[in-house]
Amino acid sequence: MKNRLSRIIKKDGRTLMLAVDHGYFMGPTTGLEKFDETVNPLIPYADALMLTRGALRNYVDPSNDIPIILRVSGGTSIIGKELLHEGIIVSIEDAIRLNASAIAFSIMVGADFERDTILGLTQYIDDAERYGIPVLAVTAVGREMKRDAKYISLASRMAAELGAHMVKTYYVEGFEKVVESCPVPIVIAGGKKIPEQDALKMAYDAIQAGAAGVDMGRNIFQSSNPVAMIKAVRAIVHEGATPKEAFDIFKEESKG
Ligand code: R5P
């Protein structure tokens, strides 16, 4: 377990996870239509790759040694009626066969189906613990839920108490409180595409508040220059860059 975690969270206690699992409920997400063309150039700058087994099988060269965070929850789509009602979509045996360094499972705290998703998470944690595989709990937020520090703290702490080894959640005002009350490393999702400068500021603020890093997708792969953007995010996560320094890196790298 510690060995797998150390492959993802580096010696500085930080991590840059590249989230490209969106296809499991969004299909050919903008920027990922030709998955390998977008993602392969980004891999050298990411500490871990979060994706589905289908994307791993079809698009990623197996000789690539980047740690894999395998999405194992899903079952609903963005056009269906029950987006928040996810269940288990990959067996632990297949996760092991695919050499996952960690697995990712979404829980929907406060939604109609929270119980199903939470019991799915705990069942998967039991399976993963048996083989020393860490679990990243993804705290998804429904449209009707208020995205504030109180809610995010509740969902994150619950995930940790239920046995998750890492938590992925959204950055909110007062994020220090979320981090303080969560005993496992927290990473933030990027969310919908926003201007590069704003996304870099959000990553910086999260790190300043104590986050272990980011699990960012659209704000990297939908950027006008994804490689420049991941380099800029990396500077914030691992090199202590300020948002301005990181944005300068983005601009400079974009020129090339
Ligand atoms: C959503 O549950 C997916 O796991 C995405 O990977 C996640 O939202 C992170 O990607 P983004 O930074 O695009 O929000």
Side-chain angles (χ1 to χ4, degrees):
M1 176 77 74
K2 279 188 179 168
N3 177 269
R4 287 190 174 99
L5 280 169
S6 74
R7 296 196 65 215
I8 296 169
I9 299 176
K10 299 300 175 184
K11 286 203 168 68
D12 60 2
R14 303 264 174 84
T15 183
L16 195 177
M17 303 171 179
L18 177 62
V20 285
D21 60 326
H22 305 62
Y24 87 96
F25 73 107
M26 288 166 66
T29 311
T30 304
L32 294 180
E33 297 92 338
K34 294 182 179 172
F35 187 98
D36 41 354
E37 282 180 23
T38 306
V39 175
N40 284 348
L42 302 175
I43 289 179
Y45 309 102
D47 295 319
L49 195 56
M50 177 186 182
L51 78 180
T52 62
R53 64 175 161 188
L56 181 60
R57 200 178 282 149
N58 289 298
Y59 298 120
V60 181
D61 183 342
S63 66
N64 204 313
D65 68 353
I66 187 162
I68 298 300
I69 303 176
L70 190 69
R71 169 159 286 279
V72 300
S73 72
T76 58
S77 80
I78 195 150
I79 56 169
K81 292 194 179 72
E82 297 182 352
L83 177 59
L84 303 181
H85 198 176
E86 292 189 2
I88 294 171
I89 55 168
V90 181
S91 69
I92 189 69
E93 288 77 17
D94 211 30
I96 294 165
R97 202 182 62 79
L98 293 164
N99 198 26
S101 294
I103 66 110
F105 200 109
S106 293
I107 55 169
M108 319 294 179
V109 176
D112 287 349
F113 308 107
E114 68 167 17
R115 184 171 187 275
D116 288 359
T117 61
I118 288 170
L119 294 187
L121 171 73
T122 52
Q123 184 187 327
Y124 220 98
I125 290 173
D126 283 337
D127 287 347
E129 284 279 355
R130 210 172 300 127
Y131 301 102
I133 299 178
V135 176
L136 171 71
V138 179
T139 64
V141 180
R143 281 187 203 97
E144 67 281 9
M145 271 97 83
K146 203 169 168 224
R147 244 189 234 198
D148 59 15
K150 199 174 165 198
Y151 171 78
I152 296 290
S153 290
L154 175 104
S156 302
R157 176 63 175 264
M158 277 183 66
E161 298 248 0
L162 292 163
H165 308 89
M166 299 174 280
V167 169
K168 168 179 170 173
T169 192
Y170 291 92
Y171 179 76
V172 286
E173 196 80 13
F175 202 70
E176 308 76 32
K177 288 198 180 70
V178 178
V179 175
E180 271 166 26
S181 59
C182 182
V184 300
I186 297 192
V187 292
I188 60 150
K192 282 188 183 153
K193 174 77 177 71
I194 52 177
E196 278 78 3
Q197 218 165 351
D198 298 345
L200 292 170
K201 169 91 168 58
M202 180 172 68
Y204 177 81
D205 289 346
I207 297 282
Q208 292 302 106
V214 300
D215 187 11
M216 195 175 265
R218 288 163 290 180
N219 276 292
I220 292 175
F221 65 73
Q222 291 178 351
S223 165
S224 55
N225 191 322
V227 171
M229 186 58 178
I230 198 169
K231 284 185 178 175
V233 174
R234 193 167 180 87
I236 286 177
V237 171
H238 286 299
E239 291 150 33
T242 62
K244 186 190 173 305
E245 287 165 344
F247 191 55
D248 287 345
I249 291 173
F250 172 74
K251 286 187 292 190
E252 198 54 39
E253 292 286 337
S254 292
K255 280 184 199 159

